[in-house]
Amino acid sequence: MTSEARNISHTVSEFILLGFPCRWEMQILLFSIFFVTYIMTLLGNMAIVCVVHWDRRLHTPMYILLANFSFLEICYVNSDVPNMLANFLSQTKTISFAWCLLQLYFFFSLGTTECLFLSIMAYDRFLAICHPLHYPTIMTVKFCCSLVIFCWVYGFLWFLIPVILVTQLPFCGPNVIDDFLCDLGPLLDLASACVPIPGTILICGTMSSLLIFATFFYITGSYTLVLRAVVQVPSVAGRKKAFSTCSSHLAVVFLFYGSVMMTYVSPGSGQAEGMQKFTTLFYSVLTPFFNPMIYSLRNKEMKDALKKVLGGF
């Protein structure tokens, strides 16, 4: 950061999150839609976590990873949706500087953790289908739990540097964020209006791109090998089961990465007005909503376990 930037004090004590500007009646309608989506997301992902916990048949690496992934989705929607819902009913739509940076850290850390979990889940399917004889000895429950711990710890460490850099940026006046959360791109745009910050933009963009593309190419490479192995399975039933599992994983991967790449490969680059909030909405709200349906509806073991657990109530 330049000496000029250091000399500019933080004159912004709060930010205004525009969200989705529209008439009050439309705000209430959007609040109702997103509130129902939020509750359904929590219930769907909590159901997967509970089913895996209660059904001992699902105490295998694949379902342990799935349960942790569902718990991650619960945390993910709670990092942005409650504040978005409150803003629909708020007249001021403000968020303090400290809370804004805290939301930024948790939102990005959970997003990073999601990228890592999707990679580990791809590795699990690669081992199970391409190396079935070695799978039980490699992917033990203990090793699986170690991978889970790695995802959570590394996920919350990866984005520390960008967030620390953002805390040092000069926000000298403009404080309106055309989004429903404190996102990296809009914050960098506000800081850029005060002084040039090419170094911070470069570091944030590089770290985002490195994470996104490294995990995406690893996942697509793993599933390419998996699908190649699936078509060589002699049993039609075995081929159908393997393809069903992999297709549900791939659906989640492309839903998540498709919108993430549009948003974070080049943060602060000035995307089309209003476009970023919709791509952010897609992967941060809608993807966690669809995930339980994708995983449960296309997985016989999960459907049977859900029926068994729900039938007990």
Side-chain angles (χ1 to χ4, degrees):
M1 188 183 298
T2 64
S3 59
E4 180 184 1
R6 292 193 188 95
N7 292 332
I8 299 178
S9 61
H10 288 279
T11 58
V12 173
S13 60
E14 62 183 18
F15 294 100
I16 299 172
L17 298 173
L18 287 183
F20 302 93
C22 53
R23 291 182 295 111
W24 176 248
E25 294 81 1
M26 186 59 67
Q27 293 272 335
I28 298 300
L29 176 62
L30 289 175
F31 171 85
S32 303
I33 293 172
F34 287 121
F35 180 74
V36 172
T37 302
Y38 172 64
I39 297 299
M40 294 297 290
T41 301
L42 294 181
L43 291 176
N45 284 288
M46 285 173 63
I48 291 178
V49 174
C50 292
V51 165
V52 173
H53 176 72
W54 287 330
D55 195 327
R56 297 191 65 84
R57 295 173 302 172
L58 301 182
H59 290 185
T60 61
M62 185 178 85
Y63 291 106
I64 290 172
L65 291 173
L66 179 57
N68 273 273
F69 186 73
S70 293
F71 177 70
L72 168 64
E73 296 290 53
I74 293 171
C75 297
Y76 203 23
V77 294
N78 276 311
S79 70
D80 64 320
V81 176
N83 188 70
M84 178 180 72
L85 292 174
N87 274 0
F88 278 124
L89 306 178
S90 171
Q91 296 296 323
T92 58
K93 303 183 185 299
T94 58
I95 183 171
S96 70
F97 185 87
W99 275 110
C100 183
L101 294 181
L102 194 63
Q103 184 186 56
L104 175 73
Y105 174 65
F106 276 98
F107 183 73
F108 272 87
S109 295
L110 291 167
T112 301
T113 307
E114 180 149 348
C115 291
L116 297 174
F117 262 109
L118 289 172
S119 301
I120 297 303
M121 291 166 78
Y123 174 66
D124 174 71
R125 291 301 84 204
F126 167 75
L127 281 179
I129 295 173
C130 296
H131 302 283
L133 297 179
H134 297 99
Y135 179 76
T137 56
I138 297 175
M139 188 58 77
T140 61
V141 172
K142 182 178 180 181
F143 181 58
C144 178
C145 292
S146 298
L147 291 176
V148 167
I149 294 171
F150 165 80
C151 289
W152 283 103
V153 173
Y154 199 79
F156 275 80
L157 289 177
W158 178 259
F159 229 81
L160 266 179
I161 293 175
V163 171
I164 290 172
L165 289 175
V166 171
T167 64
Q168 305 303 311
L169 293 178
F171 294 95
C172 58
N175 69 334
V176 178
I177 298 176
D178 187 13
D179 211 329
F180 60 90
L181 56 79
C182 287
D183 212 344
L184 182 62
L187 285 173
L188 293 178
D189 289 337
L190 289 181
S192 297
C194 299
V195 293
I197 50 169
T200 301
I201 292 176
L202 178 63
I203 292 172
C204 292
T206 300
M207 294 193 70
S208 298
S209 300
L210 184 61
L211 173 76
I212 292 167
F213 284 112
T215 54
F216 178 74
F217 285 130
Y218 175 79
I219 292 167
T220 52
S222 297
Y223 281 119
T224 299
L225 296 174
V226 166
L227 293 175
R228 191 175 69 176
V230 166
V231 298
Q232 296 173 353
V233 174
S235 166
V236 176
R239 190 161 57 239
K240 184 179 179 181
K241 180 180 179 181
F243 184 77
S244 176
T245 302
C246 293
S247 61
S248 63
H249 285 205
L250 280 171
V252 172
V253 168
F254 286 113
L255 276 173
F256 180 73
Y257 277 93
S259 50
V260 165
M261 284 182 176
M262 292 178 63
T263 308
Y264 296 117
V265 170
S266 184
S269 59
Q271 294 186 23
E273 186 176 352
M275 188 63 193
Q276 175 162 322
K277 73 175 74 174
F278 290 105
T279 56
T280 305
L281 179 72
F282 190 85
Y283 75 81
S284 65
V285 179
L286 298 182
T287 302
F289 171 71
F290 288 123
N291 283 353
M293 292 183 282
I294 292 172
Y295 281 117
S296 60
L297 294 178
R298 298 188 62 87
N299 188 298
K300 186 178 183 301
E301 288 86 354
M302 183 60 69
K303 282 191 289 186
D304 292 342
L306 278 169
K307 289 176 184 176
K308 180 182 176 182
V309 171
L310 294 176
F313 289 98

